């Protein structure tokens, strides 16, 4: 356990010091860290899923607090929590089924027969829910007690203590095993999301089209390159993406792949948009309402695209899907970067003069990292699971996250 | 993300490369100055909070981020506090490659001493980063280190790389931003070698003197007044041994850098590395404390800003619009206003109708109603009662301001001071629980140079009374009673006094903005000076290019002449000191060093010394030539040894004769009639050999008649000499 704690502390420090930035990297690291947390977690006899959830929540809380702007960290924590709940449900379901079968076959233990039906009824209901799992409002509401209720049966069932000890042991190991398996799949998904997304490129990019993008996103780059590899010929306008000018890097990469590229300033986007067939941009996070948090300047591009009825497409891996709504103040937190991206401190040092002018600075430089694009400006999301409308996002999110985990806080009472 | 990748791959390369020599750093956790008194009497400067974390955290975090693996924290004053802090902090127990190791010393009084201690410990094995614990930076050292290493490979004499930063070339900005004097540097634009460094440029005289050798040896040089010294140095291990060899080096810049630049015997070189977009500055005085705090709040030091928890142990801050940072648990009244660029720490309560702007408020403070706080720094656990007014003040931990207190601009209240009701503390005063130390007992932080922050006997009557009979225990009722006159009823603390001159300087280094009239003065003086020295500016444009061409020989001669005159004066001054009773042995040394620094020959030296001796003979009262001759004889026999020291060869002896001749013709005509007599004397005293005198006479053979006056005068003596030598030959 101590070595896991050290790993967690190390990662927390890295997040705090902004040594790990970018949703892909932080998502991957978070998933790997949580996997080792789970694999090191000692499993109690009772309420195993609860123990895992508590452990993950404890770590997750620290990670989210370390850099609240990096939403992907929170997303992955919630995904892992959801995985634990799902695996727990499915394993209880199979166990209950097994128990039910055994109860039906050998009725040697008469005394315990009374309480079993009640038990299995609750468990079966949960199991049934888990197999159906249609994310209707009712299920979401009904789901709430399941973390508490579902793990109960084996614990309160002090029935076959001696007999099912080994059985439980196997089950506990199985739960952990299943969870780790599922997390491995998740890591795999994060790793391959770019390929998954770029597979769809040919469906969206057509011959002789003009694509506009802003700044640099790895997803966008791979998307465009994939289309090029399929022998689509098209032209890309790259807005340079002040103040970090990542667009210049993207332009270089595209040219090296043989794509016709035009670099324009951010302010020229509106002038160029009438010649553009489609806007493709990356995102920092996709919110539950279908809104997008993306690098600065993208809102302007989206407005221009809407004015000229140009499709505005956002490509993003599913780890960027965030179950929170942007009215949440924690989300609206923007990262204000260093003003020296904009100005050379030396040149302006006389404006930052606090000795004169009554001690209050007259010049203030603001360098926010992100923009918010409302869902009505987005035409299509392309994730690793395919293309989706903004209005469909909440359903995707219901697939990936359970409603209990929206606020990752340990219940202080329990 | 590509950047990310690139970064990671580079950092994975780094350990391989650094595996041979881990990058080390020396952090001086003592400023060896008294600029932050009286606060530093109770807490070391590096532990003073800057916005929301102690200064040393910023420096350590920066060192860690640039890939330093071993940091040695040198603590001297309050070393226990620094060590305790480090032990408690995350730095000591942090996993990974960054280790922090405190080094303690109690008798170091300067940076030079500190480096000598470190040299004796023998812990530094390669290039190291030398910073002081009050440096704030977010620069990347990779490039500078690379440059330094490559230069070292080519030229092992390049011992140091100084980091400098561009700033606006206005003397006003220098003064108003960091409270420093203007720094003048001469840099070779091609090699980036530092050729000249002057940080104490006198504002009144707007010219500098460069050594002509500098112009001769480098084809181009840029003179900069628009660079800011970041006080971050990359040093080679030789630097430590240089400090050990030159035991009089104390100050890093004033002694070491200037010493290396002047010393052309060893040929050590210092180079510069200029940073552009990243931030680096050092907190040297209260004004730079204020400026850098504001820079941090304006996020120039990103990622070392309050809402990014860079240091782990400090509480989380949230950044609202307009640069307002707030901890999660602030108890703010609805009618209280927090204006732009402020920071409120955790657990602080703010009462109704209070207004806070441009200020930093620490943790667990209590601020009453109708309080106005403007441009001030309030540390932890401070109680400010209703209706107080603070502007541009610094208030340390545990201070209690009772209702209605007014702090005028520039006030500094040290730890746990209490101020009674409705007291107005005048501008620029410093209040502390500890009495002001007199010059004799300033044992904690010795100042080795320019003590300008008023360390003087307290002139105010009450404080004299206090310092005499009050023991420094603040809780003693005696102290509380006797202090009431200074900080009001139920107040505790001494008001530190400053000298008149000190007060004059006070506005330069205080937190308060510079008063308008001072600014006006400043602008005016700068402008008139510019007007006067316009030609100078034209001929020697600041930070312009100065090409040396072949025509400079005439200029050189003039310079040379001036040099020799200077040298003569210096020698004379030195000789005067001998007369005043300095040991002649030392004088020999001194004259030798003078000779080296002025680049003179032994002959010049002998000539000047002789000149000085003769002058001193002349200075004694005399009535007749005979008396003068006697005097001269006495003087000569007295200083024979000294003079002999310079007369190593016959050339020098001839030089002495020529000099004597010149004197008799020009400056001291009194000797003219006595020439031959004195010559005789010199010969008898074994100062001049007969060969020298004879070859002098031979040399003069072909000269003009006017030049031969003295040869003729001493003809009998010369004749006798010649005969004597012939006799010997026989």
């Amino acid at each position: 356990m101590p070595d896991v704690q050290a790993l967690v502390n190390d990662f927390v420090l890295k997040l705090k010091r902004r040594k790990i930035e970018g949703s892909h990297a932080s998502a991957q690291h978070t998933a790997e860290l949580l996997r080792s947390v789970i694999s090191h977690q000692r499993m109690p006899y009772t309420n195993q899923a609860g123990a895992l959830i508590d452990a993950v929540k404890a770590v997750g809380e620290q990670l989210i607090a370390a850099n609240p702007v990096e939403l992907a960290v929170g997303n992955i924590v919630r995904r892992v929590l959801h995985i634990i709940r799902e695996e727990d449900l499915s394993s209880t379901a199979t166990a209950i089924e097994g128990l039910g079968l055994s109860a039906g076959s050998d009725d040697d233990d008469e005394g315990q027969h009374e309480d079993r039906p009640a038990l299995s009824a609750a468990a079966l209901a949960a199991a049934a829910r888990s197999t159906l799992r249609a994310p209707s409002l009712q299920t979401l509401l009904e789901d709430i007690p399941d973390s508490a209720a579902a793990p109960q049966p084996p614990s309160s069932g002090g029935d076959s203590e001696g007999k099912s000890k080994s059985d439980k042991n196997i089950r506990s190991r199985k739960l952990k095993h299943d969870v780790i398996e599922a997390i491995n799949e998740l890591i795999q998904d994060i790793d391959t999301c770019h390929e998954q997304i770029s597979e769809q490129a040919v469906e969206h990019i057509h011959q002789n089209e003009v694509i506009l993008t802003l700044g640099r996103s790895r997803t966008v780059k791979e998307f465009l390159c994939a289309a090029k590899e399929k022998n689509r010929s098209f032209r890309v306008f790259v807005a340079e993406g002040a103040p970090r000018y990542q667009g210049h890097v993207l332009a270089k990469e595209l040219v090296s792949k043989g794509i016709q590229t035009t670099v324009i300033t951010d302010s020229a986007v509106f002038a160029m948009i009438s010649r553009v067939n489609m806007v493709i941009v990356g995102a920092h996070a996709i919110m539950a309402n279908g809104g997008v948090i993306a690098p600065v300047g993208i809102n302007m591009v989206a407005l221009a695209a809407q004015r000229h009825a140009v499709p505005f497409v956002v490509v993003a891996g599913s780890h960027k899907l965030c179950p929170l709504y942007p009215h949440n103040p924690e989300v609206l937190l923007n990262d204000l970067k260093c003003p020296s991206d904009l100005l050379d401190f030396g040149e302006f040092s006389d404006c930052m003069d606090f000795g004169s002018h009554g001690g209050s600075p007259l010049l203030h430089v603001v360098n926010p990292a992100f923009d918010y694009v409302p869902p009505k400006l987005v035409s299509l999301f392309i994730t690793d699971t395919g293309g989706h409308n903004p209005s469909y996002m909440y359903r995707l999110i219901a697939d990936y996250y359970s409603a209990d985990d929206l606020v990752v806080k340990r219940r202080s009472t329990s | 993300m590509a950047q990310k990748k690139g970064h990671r791959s580079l950092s994975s390369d780094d350990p391989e490369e650094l595996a041979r020599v881990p990058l080390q750093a020396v952090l001086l956790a003592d400023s060896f100055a008294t600029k932050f008194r009286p606060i530093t009497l109770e807490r070391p400067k590096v532990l003073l909070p800057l916005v929301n974390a102690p200064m040393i955290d910023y420096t350590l975090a920066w060192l860690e981020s640039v890939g330093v693996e071993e940091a040695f924290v040198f603590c001297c004053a309050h070393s226990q506090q620094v060590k305790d802090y480090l032990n408690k902090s995350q730095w000591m127990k942090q996993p990974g490659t960054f280790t922090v190791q405190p080094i303690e010393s109690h008798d170091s009084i300067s940076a030079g001493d500190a480096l000598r201690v470190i040299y004796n410990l023998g812990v530094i094995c390669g290039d190291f980063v030398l910073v002081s614990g009050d440096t704030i930076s977010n620069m990347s050292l990779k490039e500078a280190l690379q440059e330094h290493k490559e230069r070292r490979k080519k030229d092992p004499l390049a011992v140091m790389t100084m980091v400098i930063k561009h700033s606006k070339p206005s003397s006003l900005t220098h003064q108003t931003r960091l409270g420093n004097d203007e720094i003048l540097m001469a840099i070779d634009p091609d090699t980036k070698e530092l050729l000249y460094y002057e940080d104490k440029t006198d504002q009144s005289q707007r010219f500098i003197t460069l050594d002509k050798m500098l112009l001769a040896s480098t084809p181009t040089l840029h003179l900069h007044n628009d660079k800011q010294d970041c006080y971050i140095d990359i040093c080679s291990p030789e630097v430590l041994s240089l400090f050990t060899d030159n035991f009089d080096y104390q100050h890093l810049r004033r002694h070491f850098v200037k010493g290396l630049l002047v010393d052309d015997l060893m040929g050590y070189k210092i180079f510069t590395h200029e940073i552009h977009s990243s931030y680096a500055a050092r907190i040297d005085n209260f004004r730079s404390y204020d400026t850098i705090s504001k820079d941090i709040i304006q996020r120039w030091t990103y990622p070392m800003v309050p809402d990014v928890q860079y240091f782990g142990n400090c509480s989380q801050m949230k950044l609202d619009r307009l640069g307002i940072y707030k901890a999660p648990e602030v108890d703010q009244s609805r009618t209280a206003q927090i204006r732009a660029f402020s920071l409120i720490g955790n657990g602080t309560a703010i009462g109704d109708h209070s207004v806070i702007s441009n200020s930093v408020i620490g943790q667990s403070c209590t601020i009453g109603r109708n309080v106005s706080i403007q441009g001030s720094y309030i540390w932890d656990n401070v109680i400010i009662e209703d209706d107080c007014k603070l502007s541009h003040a610094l208030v340390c931990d545990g201070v209690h301001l009772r209702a209605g207190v007014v702090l005028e601009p520039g006030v500094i209240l040290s730890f746990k001071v209490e101020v009674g009701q409705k007291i107005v503390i005048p501008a620029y005063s410093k209040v502390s629980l500890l009495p002001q130390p007199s010059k004799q007992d300033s044992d904690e932080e010795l100042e080795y140079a320019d003590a300008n922050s008023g360390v003087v006997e307290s002139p105010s009557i009450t404080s004299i009374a206090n310092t005499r009979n009050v023991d420094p225990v603040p809780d003693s009722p005696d102290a509380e009673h006797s202090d009431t006159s200074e900080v009001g009823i139920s107040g505790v603390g001494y008001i530190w006094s400053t000298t008149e001159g000190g007060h004059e300087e006070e506005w330069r280094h205080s937190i308060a903005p510079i008063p308008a009239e001072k600014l006006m003065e400043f602008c005016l003086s700068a402008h008139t000076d510019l007007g006067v020295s316009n030609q100078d500016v034209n001929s020697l444009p600041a930070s312009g290019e100065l090409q040396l061409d072949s025509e400079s020989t005439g200029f050189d001669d003039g310079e040379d002449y001036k040099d020799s005159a200077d040298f003569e004066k210096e020698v004379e001054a030195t000789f005067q000191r001998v007369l005043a009773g300095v040991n002649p042995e030392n004088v020999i040394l001194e004259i030798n060093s003078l000779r080296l620094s002025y680049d003179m020959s032994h002959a010049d030296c002998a000539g000047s010394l002789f000149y000085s001796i003769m002058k001193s003979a002349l200075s004694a009262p005399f009535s007749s030539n005979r008396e003068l001759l006697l005097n001269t004889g006495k003087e000569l026999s007295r200083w024979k040894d000294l003079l002999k020291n310079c007369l190593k060869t016959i050339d020098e002896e001839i030089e002495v004769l020529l000099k004597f001749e010149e004197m008799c013709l020009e400056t001291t005509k009194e000797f003219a009639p006595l020439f031959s007599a004195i010559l005789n004397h010199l010969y008898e005293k074994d100062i001049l050999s007969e060969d020298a005198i004879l070859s002098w006479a031979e040399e003069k053979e072909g000269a003009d008649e006017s030049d031969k006056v003295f040869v003729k005068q001493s003809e009998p003596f010369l004749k006798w000499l010649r005969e004597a030598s012939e006799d010997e030959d026989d």
Side-chain angles (χ1 to χ4, degrees):
Chain A
M1 203 53 193
D3 51 333
V4 179
Q5 198 51 47
L7 275 178
V8 172
N9 287 344
D10 192 38
F11 187 58
V12 165
L13 263 184
K14 274 185 182 160
L15 280 175
K16 276 185 179 172
R17 300 205 174 137
R18 306 290 199 257
K19 277 184 182 165
I20 294 179
E21 271 188 309
S23 12
H24 191 255
S26 43
Q28 212 165 1
H29 280 96
T30 312
E32 280 163 11
L33 179 77
L34 290 179
R35 183 176 60 185
S36 54
V37 166
I38 289 171
S39 66
H40 283 83
Q41 176 70 30
R42 272 187 61 240
M43 298 296 282
Y45 286 122
T46 61
N47 196 10
Q48 294 169 335
L52 277 188
I53 286 172
D54 276 350
V56 171
K57 273 191 176 174
V59 173
E61 205 182 334
Q62 288 179 53
L63 297 186
I64 292 171
N67 187 355
V69 176
E70 205 57 85
L71 292 164
V73 174
N75 298 345
I76 295 301
V77 171
R78 293 185 185 100
R79 283 282 284 275
V80 169
L81 289 173
H82 180 67
I83 285 171
I84 297 170
R85 288 177 204 279
E86 284 231 309
E87 292 299 333
D88 183 45
L89 275 178
S90 64
S91 70
T92 6
T94 49
I96 296 297
E97 272 162 35
L99 266 179
L101 279 177
S102 68
S105 59
D106 43 51
D107 13 356
D108 41 331
D109 283 331
E110 303 281 82
Q112 287 152 9
H113 219 77
E114 284 102 62
D115 49 12
R116 193 176 287 146
L119 255 192
S120 42
L124 277 172
R129 232 180 282 133
S130 83
T131 46
L132 289 172
R133 268 218 70 76
S136 71
L137 185 61
Q138 199 185 2
T139 5
L140 286 177
L141 286 175
E142 260 184 292
D143 241 9
I144 292 165
D146 79 356
S147 69
Q152 284 311 318
S155 62
S156 65
D159 41 8
S160 44
E161 196 62 69
K163 191 186 100 182
S164 61
K165 205 162 203 172
S166 61
D167 184 38
K168 260 185 214 158
N169 231 341
I170 292 162
R171 270 193 51 214
S172 79
R173 229 176 291 146
K174 192 170 176 309
L175 174 65
K176 204 159 144 179
H177 178 79
D178 286 349
V179 168
I180 287 172
E181 274 298 292
I183 294 176
N184 278 338
E185 257 171 54
L186 173 63
I187 293 171
Q188 188 80 19
D189 276 355
I190 297 170
D191 271 344
T192 58
C193 73
H194 296 305
E195 286 95 76
Q196 301 264 351
I197 293 169
S198 37
E199 264 173 26
Q200 309 161 45
V202 261
E203 296 164 27
H204 298 278
I205 298 178
H206 306 290
Q207 197 70 14
N208 293 329
E209 272 191 341
V210 177
I211 314 286
L212 185 136
T213 185
L214 181 137
R216 181 186 180 278
S217 149
R218 193 170 147 211
T219 327
V220 171
K221 188 200 101 189
E222 308 240 330
F223 194 77
L224 296 173
C225 292
K228 180 71 192 171
E229 273 160 26
K230 300 268 169 61
N231 287 323
R232 284 282 145 82
S233 118
F234 53 95
R235 170 174 281 281
V236 179
F237 286 173
V238 181
E240 56 186 2
R244 293 182 140 196
Y245 302 109
Q246 292 285 300
H248 299 172
V249 183
L250 178 68
K252 260 184 212 161
E253 288 166 344
L254 292 181
V255 166
S256 71
K257 288 278 188 298
I259 300 173
Q260 289 203 311
T261 309
T262 311
V263 177
I264 57 171
T265 58
D266 295 348
S267 42
V269 163
F270 193 83
M272 308 300 276
I273 199 89
S274 55
R275 295 164 54 188
V276 170
N277 298 96
M278 181 160 63
V279 176
I280 302 178
V281 292
H284 173 70
I286 300 172
M287 308 313 290
N289 66 342
V292 180
I293 293 187
V296 267
I298 295 225
N299 191 318
M300 175 195 71
V301 177
L303 285 171
Q306 190 200 33
R307 186 83 177 75
H308 287 264
V310 176
F312 185 86
V313 178
V314 175
V315 289
S318 57
H319 58 271
K320 292 187 181 174
L321 273 176
C322 182
L324 305 177
Y325 284 83
H327 53 71
N328 191 336
E330 277 168 352
V331 176
L332 274 183
L333 264 187
N334 208 335
D335 204 7
L336 289 179
K337 300 275 185 193
C338 185
S340 62
D341 290 343
L342 274 72
L343 301 181
D344 186 0
F345 187 80
E347 283 302 316
F348 286 83
S349 56
D350 52 341
C351 305
M352 255 75 72
D353 193 346
F354 307 113
S356 41
H357 313 304
S360 62
L362 294 178
L363 178 72
H364 183 213
V365 187
V366 181
N367 180 13
F370 302 119
D371 236 354
Y372 172 66
V373 182
K376 63 172 186 184
L377 296 181
V378 182
S379 319
L380 186 70
F381 285 104
I382 301 176
T383 69
D384 34 6
T385 55
H388 305 285
N389 266 329
S391 54
Y392 189 70
M393 276 303 131
Y394 84 97
R395 265 197 83 105
L396 269 187
I397 280 163
D399 273 354
Y400 286 130
Y401 305 99
S402 84
D404 297 347
D405 304 325
L406 290 188
V407 180
V408 183
K409 277 256 161 69
R410 269 173 302 172
R411 282 153 298 177
S412 50
T413 47
S414 67
Chain B
M1 247 178 255
Q3 214 180 13
K4 182 102 248 125
K5 277 269 151 70
H7 183 78
R8 222 183 299 151
S9 68
L10 275 172
S11 58
S12 67
D13 283 352
D14 270 354
E16 287 164 28
E17 197 191 312
L18 294 168
R20 285 170 273 136
V21 192
L23 184 58
Q24 294 174 313
V26 172
L27 187 152
L28 302 177
D30 194 335
S31 57
F32 305 110
T34 54
K35 293 240 175 74
F36 271 83
R37 281 193 173 186
I39 302 171
T40 46
L41 283 183
E42 288 165 72
R43 197 188 279 189
K45 182 176 159 195
V46 292
L47 294 189
L48 304 185
L50 180 71
V51 183
N52 66 338
M55 292 180 197
I56 196 169
D57 272 357
Y58 286 86
T59 317
L60 284 173
W62 173 71
L63 287 176
E64 199 259 328
S65 72
V66 297
V68 168
E69 286 171 51
E70 257 186 296
F72 297 98
V73 176
F74 184 89
C75 9
C76 183
H78 305 289
S79 54
Q80 199 53 46
Q81 278 191 48
V82 178
K83 271 165 63 188
D84 288 349
Y85 178 77
L86 287 176
N87 282 328
K88 263 191 288 166
S89 74
Q90 36 148 354
W91 301 110
M92 298 290 261
K93 48 189 174 235
Q94 191 168 281
T97 51
F98 184 61
T99 56
V100 175
Q101 206 176 317
I103 292 175
E104 201 176 349
S105 158
H106 293 292
D107 45 5
S108 299
I109 53 159
S110 70
D113 287 344
L115 293 181
R116 282 185 274 277
V117 168
I118 289 167
Y119 178 75
N120 290 336
L121 288 175
V123 285
I124 298 293
C125 46
D127 289 347
F128 65 99
V129 183
L130 176 62
V131 288
S132 80
D134 45 14
T135 310
I136 316 300
S137 176
N138 62 358
M139 69 174 283
S140 151
L141 262 191
K142 203 174 285 164
E143 218 177 301
L145 272 172
Q146 194 67 30
E147 279 177 20
H148 180 78
K149 282 203 176 112
E150 269 162 28
R151 258 198 303 265
R152 285 276 293 168
K153 266 179 216 152
K154 277 185 246 155
D155 182 2
L157 291 177
V159 286
M160 188 161 128
T161 303
M162 253 168 74
V163 177
I164 55 172
K165 183 163 172 52
H166 181 74
S167 75
K168 244 347 194 200
S170 131
S171 54
L172 197 66
T173 308
H174 266 281
Q175 181 56 63
T176 48
R177 246 190 80 76
L178 294 174
N180 290 335
D181 293 316
E182 201 171 355
I183 294 175
L184 222 85
M185 291 187 227
I187 297 169
D188 186 330
D190 302 323
T191 61
K192 303 281 174 222
E193 187 183 343
L194 180 72
L195 302 167
Y196 176 83
Y197 183 96
E198 182 60 63
D199 59 349
K200 285 261 164 198
T201 39
D202 194 354
Q203 293 296 340
S204 56
Q205 54 175 65
R206 299 190 67 82
F207 65 88
I208 57 154
T209 327
L210 285 180
D211 187 1
K212 71 172 191 314
M213 291 303 291
L214 218 60
L215 300 173
S217 56
T218 46
T220 40
L221 67 85
H222 285 186
L223 260 181
H224 290 283
N225 68 346
D226 57 348
K227 299 287 178 234
Q228 181 194 321
D229 190 349
C230 302
Y231 301 96
I232 296 169
D233 304 317
I234 303 167
C235 304
S236 303
E238 283 91 337
V239 169
L240 291 180
S241 53
L242 273 172
F243 266 99
T244 315
D245 295 345
N246 298 284
F247 50 86
D248 54 337
Y249 283 173
Q250 304 288 355
H251 193 272
L252 272 180
R253 293 285 182 260
R254 242 169 274 152
H255 300 127
F256 175 71
V257 169
K258 284 188 187 167
L260 278 201
L261 292 178
V262 166
D263 182 6
D264 43 354
L265 287 180
M266 313 286 266
Y268 285 119
K269 289 173 190 157
I270 298 174
F271 289 85
T272 57
H273 173 82
E274 192 179 342
I275 53 172
H276 294 280
S277 59
S278 34
Y279 186 87
R282 187 181 159 205
I283 299 174
D284 189 46
N285 49 42
F286 285 116
R287 177 165 310 286
S288 44
Y289 177 86
D290 172 57
T291 302
I292 291 171
S293 301
K294 282 175 177 157
D295 288 341
I296 291 171
I297 285 178
Q298 297 219 10
R299 308 180 75 79
W300 288 97
T301 56
Y302 186 90
M304 288 171 218
V305 288
D307 62 322
V308 175
Q309 305 146 280
Y310 210 81
F311 318 111
N313 51 352
C314 46
S315 65
Q316 189 179 357
M317 292 274 168
K318 267 183 203 158
L319 174 60
D320 292 355
R321 269 157 223 261
L322 273 170
I324 298 166
Y325 297 83
K326 249 196 234 171
E329 280 163 43
V330 173
D331 179 13
Q332 181 193 350
S333 151
R334 283 190 183 274
T335 49
Q337 289 182 49
I338 298 176
R339 299 212 177 128
F341 307 115
S342 300
L343 180 142
I344 316 289
N346 215 356
T348 290
I350 302 166
D352 299 337
H353 302 291
S354 290
V355 179
I356 294 168
S357 64
N358 278 320
S359 301
V360 174
I361 311 225
Q363 298 186 8
S364 313
C365 295
T366 312
I367 294 167
R369 276 168 290 171
N370 292 320
V371 174
S372 136
I373 299 174
Q374 197 204 346
S376 301
Y377 297 87
I378 291 163
W379 295 355
D380 300 344
N381 302 314
V382 174
I383 300 170
I384 298 174
E385 291 183 7
D386 301 352
D387 304 314
C388 287
K389 277 195 172 38
L390 290 81
S391 71
H392 305 287
L394 194 153
V395 178
C396 296
D397 289 1
V399 169
H400 190 162
L401 302 183
R402 291 187 211 286
V405 169
V406 176
L407 301 187
E408 287 185 355
V411 166
I412 285 148
L413 299 184
S414 188
F415 297 95
K416 293 189 180 134
V417 164
E418 290 180 28
V419 182
Q421 280 185 11
K422 294 191 178 159
I423 295 289
V424 178
I425 307 236
Y428 305 120
S429 14
K430 298 174 177 174
V431 185
S432 168
L433 283 189
L434 301 178
Q436 186 163 21
S438 55
K439 263 178 186 163
Q440 291 81 21
D441 67 342
S442 55
D443 50 354
E444 259 167 300
E445 269 185 304
L446 282 171
E447 176 89 321
Y448 54 89
D450 70 337
N452 51 5
S453 56
V455 194
V456 200
E457 248 81 29
S458 330
S460 108
I461 301 156
T462 44
S463 55
I464 286 176
N466 289 339
T467 38
R468 282 214 190 112
N469 55 25
V470 171
D471 51 336
V473 182
D475 306 313
S476 75
D478 181 25
E480 252 176 75
H481 173 71
S482 58
D483 282 334
T484 50
S485 51
E486 282 198 342
V487 283
I489 296 158
S490 74
V492 182
Y494 298 105
I495 293 186
W496 282 32
S497 55
T498 46
T499 43
E500 289 310 303
H503 195 81
E504 188 59 33
E505 291 299 300
E506 209 61 51
W507 60 271
R508 283 181 192 274
H509 294 155
S510 136
I511 284 178
I514 298 175
E517 63 266 32
K518 294 281 185 200
L519 269 182
M520 283 295 284
E521 255 173 53
F522 220 81
C523 288
L524 275 178
S525 72
H527 279 297
T528 48
D529 279 345
L530 272 181
V532 168
S533 59
N534 234 345
Q535 314 93 295
D536 288 352
V537 174
N538 284 343
S539 61
L540 225 138
S543 86
E545 207 157 300
L546 200 76
Q547 294 273 354
L548 186 78
D549 44 25
S550 52
E551 288 168 6
S552 63
T553 38
F555 171 71
D556 273 4
D557 280 354
E559 191 81 335
D560 214 16
Y561 175 73
K562 199 173 150 234
D563 265 8
S564 66
D566 271 355
F567 174 67
E568 217 154 78
K569 255 185 225 153
E570 287 285 343
V571 170
E572 202 181 327
T574 316
F575 187 73
Q576 292 297 329
R577 258 174 283 157
V578 186
L579 290 179
V582 175
N583 186 0
E585 301 274 308
N586 293 349
V587 174
I588 293 168
L589 268 180
E590 244 175 84
I591 289 176
N592 256 327
S593 64
L594 274 175
R595 178 177 65 79
L596 285 176
S597 66
Y598 280 88
D599 199 18
M600 292 295 180
S601 64
H602 278 287
D604 292 321
C605 208
S608 318
L609 193 58
F610 180 73
Y611 174 75
S612 324
I613 294 172
M614 293 308 270
K615 266 202 125 168
S616 78
L618 202 60
S619 65
F622 61 91
S623 48
S624 66
N625 278 351
R626 201 178 152 65
E627 223 167 299
L628 179 61
L629 184 61
L630 260 171
N631 277 347
T632 318
K634 250 188 255 162
E635 285 294 318
L636 278 176
S637 47
R638 191 167 160 209
W639 303 117
K640 195 180 84 177
D641 288 341
L642 191 58
L643 200 52
K644 262 299 199 197
N645 229 301
C646 300
L647 302 175
K648 297 273 196 270
T649 64
I650 196 159
D651 287 341
E652 280 118 42
E653 292 176 20
I654 294 171
E655 173 68 26
V656 166
L657 265 177
L658 289 172
K659 184 89 196 173
F660 186 31
E661 204 180 355
E662 187 190 313
M663 278 166 69
C664 293
L665 278 173
E666 285 163 17
T667 44
T668 50
K669 295 226 168 65
E670 293 89 336
F671 286 116
L674 298 172
F675 185 85
S676 112
I678 293 173
L679 190 62
N680 194 1
H681 204 88
L682 286 169
Y683 174 71
E684 272 172 18
K685 293 274 180 209
D686 260 352
I687 294 171
L688 298 182
S689 69
E690 107 191 28
D691 286 348
I693 296 169
L694 287 179
S695 49
W696 164 72
E698 262 167 48
E699 215 171 276
K700 287 284 165 180
E701 211 82 317
D704 298 340
E705 278 307 301
S706 58
D707 266 1
K708 279 163 117 178
V709 178
F710 294 107
V711 183
K712 277 192 184 140
Q713 196 195 17
S714 45
E715 196 55 52
F717 174 66
L718 289 171
K719 205 173 169 187
W720 176 79
L721 267 183
R722 277 190 207 109
E723 276 165 12
S725 67
E726 271 161 26
D727 283 354
E728 265 168 45
D729 284 350
D730 293 343

